[in-house]
Amino acid sequence: MNCKRVNEVLYLFFDNELEDELLAPFRAHTDHCPECARRFDYTRKLLLLVREGCHRRCAPQHLRIRILSSLPHRQSAERLH
Ligand SMILES: [Zn+2]
């Protein structure tokens, strides 16, 4: 798995929609690639923030909308429950 592929499936991973056979290569890459590890960590924190629904000291509404609409696989299929 390369950086481009990791970037493509990053949000699937956090949605628990990453196929089982991709999990190991995904983990192997983020374990050894500092750039992807950083992006992984950043995305994890970002999604935590968004999913908490953050009332006070977190992303303002317009920013949350921008973040959500920038998630690649949400642009085509709206799958928020
Ligand atoms: Zn990488």
Side-chain angles (χ1 to χ4, degrees):
M1 191 173 280
N2 58 29
C3 296
K4 184 172 178 291
R5 188 75 182 121
V6 165
N7 204 21
E8 283 169 0
V9 302
L10 192 57
Y11 291 104
L12 292 178
F13 175 84
F14 286 111
D15 275 352
N16 292 318
E17 290 177 12
L18 188 60
E19 293 105 275
D20 287 345
E21 66 263 33
L22 292 179
L23 269 175
F26 178 86
R27 282 298 203 176
H29 186 96
T30 54
D31 277 353
H32 294 99
C33 176
E35 197 184 317
C36 287
R38 211 177 322 126
R39 189 183 295 127
F40 180 89
D41 199 46
Y42 173 82
T43 306
R44 187 173 56 80
K45 286 173 182 164
L46 195 74
L47 290 177
L48 258 176
L49 211 72
V50 171
R51 285 170 182 177
E52 273 171 5
C54 42
H55 303 298
R56 284 173 302 191
R57 57 208 161 91
C58 55
Q61 185 71 8
H62 70 272
L63 180 61
R64 291 176 59 202
I65 291 170
R66 211 171 67 201
I67 292 166
L68 284 173
S69 62
S70 72
L71 304 185
H73 75 286
R74 292 211 198 279
Q75 286 175 346
S76 49
E78 189 61 51
R79 282 185 293 176
L80 291 170
H81 299 298

